[in-house]
Structure formats: structure tokens, C-alpha cells
Amino acid sequence: MKKEECFYLGKIVSKFSFKGEVLIKLDTDEPQSYVKMESVFVDYNNNLVPFFIERSSLHKSDLLRVKFEDVDSEEDADDLMKAEIYLPLTLLPKLEGDQFYYHEVIGFTIMDSSFGEVGILKSINDSTAQALFEIDRKGTEILIPMNDEFVDGIDRELKIVHVTTPEGLIDLYL
């Protein structure tokens, strides 16, 4: 399994018991959806390695307490600290309407209601206070905030994200 075929679910943040249990900080709005998993992929030494789950339960609101098969001691658990957890993209629930996963719109055309075709969406920067569309317009990078007020809709068939940006925003980059 390659990372490109998976989505990031979370990160192992701490040990929970001396019997090898760990706590995973989940990157999701619906942590309860992931309590009944049978396995996950752990990024171990830059390889995605399948780990089977003996049992899991929610711990506090967004932490998943997990006991992996064959992880039976604190030392075993130490080895997994800070490891990222992934699941296959096929396990993501389908989104309807104008909702979308970041990875699914990469490569889509960004179309502004007044400017017209802005360019091709290269990536989404979510490391800032507000996520940004990073758009390539013939070699020029244009950044548009991913704001509900700006995003009008998505056409999955035609691979277009429709936006309405404030007057002059796109011109700042040109």
C-alpha cells in the first residue's frame, strides 16, 4: 500500500498502559466512526505497515485508545511513538453536494464567477490559520482562502471548483 492510496487518520501520541496500549490523536470530526476498525497502516521507518487491532475505545473526545496485536509491552509501544496512522482511501465515506476531501480536488480547475478560469489547483495549504487553495496559473501561484463564502460549489464530473472571490484578490498575484 502506498501513501498516495491512503488518507491520514492520526498520530500515535502516547503510551496508555504497561501492556502496550497506545493513544492515537485522530484527525477527524467523527472519532466514533473509527472505534470498530480491524486494522490500520502505521508509517514505520517510511513504510506503511499493517497493524491489526485487538481492541479500541474512545479516550476523552478525540483520542483512540488502541491495543495492537503483538504490541505487548511499553518497549513495543515506545517503538511506535509519533508514528502516523493511515487508512485506504476506499474507506472514506462518499461526500455529497459541495462537500469535498482535500485530496479529491487536487488537479481541478478553479473557476471564479467574475474573473473566469483562475488556474489548476496544485495543493491545499492547511498549515495556516485558514486553509488556502494553492493554484497554478501558467507558472504564477495564486492563493485563495478556502472560505465558505468564497466557495460556491464543486462539479466533480467536469473537475471544476466554482468560487467567487473579493474584487481584486486574484489581480494581486498578476
Side-chain angles (χ1 to χ4, degrees):
M1 183 71 52
K2 297 181 187 137
K3 263 192 194 173
E4 301 80 49
E5 300 167 351
C6 295
F7 68 95
Y8 173 80
L9 180 61
K11 185 178 216 170
I12 298 174
V13 292
S14 69
K15 295 178 285 189
F16 188 77
S17 71
F18 60 89
K19 293 184 179 169
E21 288 179 296
V22 295
L23 292 176
I24 300 172
K25 175 141 182 46
L26 297 174
D27 182 29
T28 177
D29 295 333
E30 297 176 10
Q32 64 280 3
S33 302
Y34 298 96
V35 173
K36 302 234 182 280
M37 295 183 297
E38 294 176 9
S39 64
V40 294
F41 288 99
V42 176
D43 188 352
Y44 188 76
N45 294 331
N46 288 323
N47 291 307
L48 289 187
V49 180
F51 274 71
F52 294 92
I53 297 173
E54 281 182 19
R55 66 181 174 279
S56 64
S57 61
L58 281 181
H59 180 76
K60 303 197 173 155
S61 58
D62 63 347
L63 293 173
L64 189 65
R65 178 179 166 182
V66 173
K67 171 64 178 87
F68 289 119
E69 285 182 11
D70 301 324
V71 178
D72 299 315
S73 68
E74 278 190 84
E75 292 77 27
D76 293 344
D78 272 334
D79 207 25
L80 298 175
M81 280 308 103
K82 307 294 181 228
E84 293 180 342
I85 305 298
Y86 292 86
L87 284 175
L89 286 173
T90 55
L91 295 181
L92 276 176
K94 281 277 184 235
L95 293 179
E96 299 295 318
D98 293 334
Q99 293 182 311
F100 57 87
Y101 294 111
Y102 290 0
H103 70 270
E104 82 175 296
V105 294
I106 302 302
F108 279 32
T109 299
I110 302 293
M111 190 71 73
D112 183 75
S113 58
S114 54
F115 183 85
E117 186 175 325
V118 180
I120 303 297
L121 181 59
K122 290 296 173 198
S123 66
I124 293 175
N125 181 345
D126 61 355
S127 65
T128 57
Q130 181 173 30
L132 298 168
F133 286 132
E134 294 183 349
I135 303 157
D136 176 42
R137 179 177 176 82
K138 300 174 186 153
T140 300
E141 182 180 65
I142 297 174
L143 303 175
I144 295 178
M146 271 184 58
N147 181 319
D148 286 344
E149 295 172 27
F150 296 171
V151 180
D152 297 329
I154 179 171
D155 185 330
R156 286 179 171 84
E157 247 179 67
L158 297 176
K159 298 188 178 229
I160 296 173
V161 177
H162 296 279
V163 298
T164 300
T165 57
E167 191 175 328
L169 176 69
I170 295 169
D171 294 325
L172 289 173
Y173 296 94
L174 304 177

